Amino acid sequence: MGGMLKPAHPKQCELEMVTLEELVPADHLLRHIERHIDFGFIRVKTAHLYSADNGRPALDPVALFKMLFIGYLFGIRSERRLVKEIEVNVAYRWFAGLNLTERVPDASTFSQNRRRRFAGTGIEQEIFDGIVEQALQHGLIGGQVLYTDSTHLKANANKNRFEVHQVDQKPAAYLAELDAAVEQDRQAHGKGPLPPKPPKSETREVKVSTTDADAGYMTREGKPQGFFYLDHRTVDGKHAIITDTHVTPGNVHDSQPYLRRLDRQCERFALTPEAVGLDAGYMSALICHGLQQRALYGVIGYRRPSHQEGYFYKRQYSYDAAREGYVCPAGQFLPYRTTNRMGYREYHSDPARCGGCPQRGQCTKSATHTKVVVRHVWDDAKERVDQHRLSERGKRIYARRKETVERSFADAKELHGQRYARFRGLERVRAQCLMAAAAQNIKKIARLLAQLLRSFSRHHIRQALAAALSSPCRLSLCELAA
């Protein structure tokens, strides 16, 4: 097909009468966010951090946080880069409340506000909570099933630059509850109380980064080694809205902050979940006992038990609850002997019978020919949770993990720059994760509400057309649109 090629005439210098409003597409994500998210609460939350009657005029906190949200929404990791992007992107200018020629705040405005005004105030947590509350008001959070998992963020620290420190081993927070359970169990079995434990200062060696001392050196099977932070996140099962995010050093186990953070979000947002879905890393007697106390239907992934090659599996020793003991593969009954300080009941075999047993080589290598099987005082709860995994309801709940919390982390890493910690220090990384999670919630809320609005509009139009076609006097398209 022929056509005449004309010389190009640049039009960049032509004068046009346009408004910023005209330049932003009607279906742009930021338009949906501006329509459906109320950012006014940020001004109220931050009012006490500004002087009311003196000092230079400050940048509006709503505009400040909107600009930061642009960075998290579109995966712009550098604040200097963010300023450059706002300068040239009309949609970003429109969302931040700037006109076409207005000067964009310098990158130092963000860093100085973070260091001088917002440090230690917890404002990021309040903003995150405010966004979750808006999701609740719109009915986008069901609250029936909550899914929790953690992911690692690479710390801004060289894994080869560290010092080895001896740190005190802090007693676990649940030890008082465990001590009470041990005392009760021993009493139920007719045993006396254990002697008081002598005070003993236990220490352990840890690698401490010389660059970011708050980061934890992570060594997990199948994970990279080095200095990391862990983002522990909970999402709701209805639309995968994030209801909680919490950051710890990379050497903290997933299960440690779980129950505390679960209680925090339930109290903060008046959630009354019926079930929770967790991966295998949370399978512990403590977690299962905590879920039972809270009357929650826990579904936790399968965790392959440790096993020594050539020996019987523990499952081959059947527990007899009626006689309170175990039956070994050779048929010998192992009665209860004691409950130790760690919360494990001990069941001992008869060495006289074990000495001549042909299967002893697969059972124990004890010099006294005594097999000891242990069972935690909270193992009943653990077995109950394990049975949930095999039920039809449990299978449905667990299958949704990949569509909820795992998808949430995948989006965070791929689209919102959550592979790496942007800052150094636990408080600043925690603020980063809260802002990223809030941005993900903002995006999801805006899109869900825009979709509902379109669906409602199409339904309304269909109803109007049906009414018009069935009416004896046909209406015009203009009258229908009105």
Side-chain angles (χ1 to χ4, degrees):
M1 183 176 179
M4 185 174 66
L5 181 63
K6 294 184 178 181
H9 294 289
K11 300 179 180 180
Q12 291 95 327
C13 296
E14 290 183 1
L15 182 63
E16 295 187 51
M17 296 294 292
V18 295
T19 64
L20 194 57
E21 183 73 22
E22 295 175 272
L23 299 176
V24 182
D27 60 347
H28 197 284
L29 172 62
L30 293 179
R31 277 200 181 274
H32 295 316
I33 291 174
E34 186 67 21
R35 180 180 301 151
H36 297 295
I37 303 296
D38 178 16
F39 291 98
F41 75 96
I42 295 176
R43 191 175 290 107
V44 177
K45 296 287 187 184
T46 58
H48 67 286
L49 302 174
Y50 291 83
S51 176
D53 54 6
N54 62 74
R56 293 178 57 192
L59 177 63
D60 180 18
V62 173
L64 174 68
F65 278 99
K66 275 187 169 184
M67 292 182 201
L68 290 173
F69 277 131
I70 289 171
Y72 286 102
L73 284 165
F74 298 100
I76 305 170
R77 293 181 57 231
S78 162
E79 287 170 354
R80 292 182 183 276
R81 182 65 183 170
L82 173 62
V83 169
K84 294 296 182 185
E85 291 292 332
I86 295 174
E87 284 178 350
V88 300
N89 191 306
V90 292
Y92 295 174
R93 281 182 168 273
W94 175 84
F95 183 67
L98 303 173
N99 62 34
L100 276 171
T101 58
E102 192 171 350
R103 182 177 177 272
V104 179
D106 191 81
S108 63
T109 303
F110 302 111
S111 59
Q112 294 303 323
N113 271 280
R114 181 171 53 250
R115 282 155 48 182
R116 298 182 181 182
R117 195 188 306 276
F118 300 132
T121 64
I123 188 62
E124 293 86 3
Q125 181 72 64
E126 293 189 50
I127 291 173
F128 172 83
D129 290 351
I131 299 299
V132 175
E133 286 175 337
Q134 292 189 38
L136 282 165
Q137 291 165 8
H138 290 296
L140 300 178
I141 294 179
Q144 278 76 40
V145 184
L146 298 177
Y147 295 91
T148 302
D149 202 353
S150 73
T151 192
H152 56 274
L153 286 78
K154 189 180 185 306
N156 190 0
N158 189 325
K159 67 178 181 180
N160 298 316
R161 295 183 178 273
F162 61 86
E163 297 173 348
V164 178
H165 290 188
Q166 292 285 340
V167 298
D168 290 334
Q169 188 88 27
K170 294 183 180 178
Y174 68 92
L175 280 184
E177 185 180 1
L178 179 61
D179 289 343
V182 169
E183 191 68 25
Q184 184 179 359
D185 189 74
R186 289 181 64 85
Q187 190 175 5
H189 285 91
K191 299 289 183 179
L194 289 167
K197 188 177 181 180
K200 182 181 177 183
S201 178
E202 296 183 1
T203 62
R204 63 188 178 101
E205 283 189 353
V206 296
K207 294 179 180 179
V208 179
S209 169
T210 56
T211 309
D212 184 356
D214 288 346
Y217 194 86
M218 187 175 74
T219 54
R220 292 189 179 191
E221 186 180 353
K223 303 290 184 182
Q225 284 192 2
F227 290 103
F228 289 87
Y229 287 96
L230 290 177
D231 181 3
H232 306 264
R233 178 175 291 191
T234 300
V235 304
D236 176 61
K238 186 175 182 180
H239 291 297
I241 298 291
I242 304 164
T243 55
D244 186 67
T245 188
H246 180 66
V247 176
T248 63
N251 53 5
V252 173
H253 194 270
D254 292 351
S255 62
Q256 287 192 24
Y258 174 66
L259 293 173
R260 186 176 70 255
R261 298 305 297 184
L262 176 64
D263 292 340
R264 191 261 173 195
Q265 60 193 296
C266 290
E267 293 170 9
R268 178 66 179 80
F269 305 118
L271 300 177
T272 54
E274 299 171 359
V276 296
L278 308 168
D279 78 351
Y282 294 85
M283 177 54 86
S284 69
L286 170 65
I287 296 295
C288 297
H289 173 68
L291 296 178
Q292 180 176 282
Q293 283 185 316
R294 292 160 178 79
L296 290 172
Y297 188 89
V299 182
I300 303 179
Y302 176 71
R303 188 176 200 174
R304 181 174 295 176
S306 58
H307 174 249
Q308 190 172 357
E309 190 68 29
Y311 286 83
F312 290 127
Y313 287 90
K314 185 179 178 181
R315 63 174 179 268
Q316 293 177 270
Y317 297 83
S318 58
Y319 178 62
D320 188 337
R323 293 191 291 167
E324 179 59 347
Y326 278 87
V327 178
C328 77
Q332 182 190 167
F333 179 72
L334 282 64
Y336 169 85
R337 175 68 62 85
T338 187
T339 304
N340 63 33
R341 200 181 297 275
M342 299 303 294
Y344 287 95
R345 299 172 187 152
E346 297 180 6
Y347 303 86
H348 290 233
S349 67
D350 181 1
R353 290 188 59 182
C354 289
C357 178
Q359 297 179 329
R360 181 166 58 86
Q362 296 175 268
C363 185
T364 181
K365 52 186 175 182
S366 168
T368 60
H369 302 168
T370 303
K371 173 66 178 177
V372 180
V373 179
V374 296
R375 178 183 179 83
H376 200 276
V377 293
W378 293 332
D379 258 4
D380 288 344
K382 192 174 178 181
E383 289 172 356
R384 192 174 298 111
V385 168
D386 195 49
Q387 287 301 313
H388 292 167
R389 175 178 57 85
L390 304 174
S391 69
E392 287 303 316
R393 182 188 180 191
K395 290 177 181 178
R396 288 195 304 271
I397 290 172
Y398 197 75
R400 282 275 292 157
R401 282 189 70 256
K402 62 179 180 292
E403 303 165 7
T404 51
V405 67
E406 290 183 6
R407 175 64 183 272
S408 181
F409 278 137
D411 286 348
K413 288 177 178 289
E414 191 68 24
L415 304 176
H416 303 286
Q418 284 295 88
R419 294 186 187 277
Y420 305 95
R422 304 183 184 188
F423 311 105
R424 292 172 180 164
L426 182 61
E427 182 184 336
R428 291 182 179 181
V429 177
R430 188 170 291 160
Q432 171 190 334
C433 291
L434 284 164
M435 290 292 289
Q440 284 185 259
N441 280 348
I442 287 169
K443 181 178 176 180
K444 188 172 288 287
I445 292 168
R447 285 184 166 170
L448 285 170
L449 293 179
Q451 184 180 356
L452 286 171
L453 190 61
R454 285 194 299 269
S455 299
F456 175 79
S457 298
R458 285 196 294 266
H459 178 68
H460 180 70
I461 290 170
R462 283 196 296 268
Q463 283 187 325
L465 282 170
L469 292 172
S470 62
S471 174
C473 53
R474 299 293 178 89
L475 299 177
S476 68
L477 289 175
C478 292
E479 290 172 321
L480 282 172

